[in-house]
């Protein structure tokens, strides 16, 4: 049974390892750990027993939230886990008083774009050459809600 929990210090090593598996420009363990002491941050992990299967991280400033990263371990993909993480993040942000969630996604990442559109995100912009390794544009997506 996979549970969605707020990230704590016991999750940092696995979250950083998942960063390295999923991204060409991963966050370091130190960077992930710094999110635990950042009052703007809200990070969730999806855990099965002691294993971190996925995570999502965000930062909120003045009722507006930016999704920093979301990742699901390859062994846990295609099981709806990313959708559960997004839903849990939005629910938690609403409780905390945020009014919207903005994110960047690789222009070529059709599965992620499809998920975000399904969850009510709309494209509000484009960041040219936002990603490195490989270089690629990012779509800027946003979802708003009433609190």
């Amino acid at each position: 049974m996979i549970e969605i929990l707020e990230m704590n210090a016991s999750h940092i090593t696995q979250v950083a390892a998942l960063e390295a598996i999923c991204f060409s420009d991963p966050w370091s363990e130190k960077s992930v750990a710094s999110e635990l002491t950042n009052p703007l941050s809200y990070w969730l992990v999806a855990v099965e027993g002691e294993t971190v299967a996925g995570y999502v991280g965000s930062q909120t400033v003045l009722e507006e939230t930016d999704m920093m990263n979301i990742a699901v371990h390859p062994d846990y993909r295609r099981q709806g886990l990313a959708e559960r993480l997004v839903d849990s993040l939005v629910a938690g942000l609403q409780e905390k008083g945020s009014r919207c969630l903005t994110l960047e996604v690789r222009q070529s990442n059709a599965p992620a774009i499809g998920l975000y559109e399904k969850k009510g995100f709309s494209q509000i912009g484009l960041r040219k050459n936002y990603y490195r390794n490989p270089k690629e544009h990012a779509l800027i997506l946003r979802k708003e809600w009433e609190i």
Side-chain angles (χ1 to χ4, degrees), residues 53-72:
Y55 70 90
V56 62
S58 68
Q59 291 185 355
T60 302
V61 176
L62 300 175
E63 300 178 347
E64 295 190 7
T65 303
D66 184 45
M67 183 188 295
M68 309 306 289
N69 270 346
I70 183 169
V72 174

Side-chain angles (χ1 to χ4, degrees), residues 8 32 49 52 60 63 84 93 108 131-132 134 141-142 147:
N8 65 47
V32 172
V52 174
T60 302
E63 300 178 347
R84 285 184 58 201
L93 292 171
S108 65
Y131 291 103
R132 304 176 294 200
L141 305 180
R142 184 177 181 104
I147 57 170

Side-chain angles (χ1 to χ4, degrees), residues 93-109:
L93 292 171
Q94 288 172 332
E95 288 178 14
K96 293 177 178 297
S98 176
R99 295 185 179 274
C100 62
L101 179 59
T102 304
L103 60 90
E104 290 88 12
V105 61
R106 282 186 182 271
Q107 193 172 27
S108 65
N109 192 343

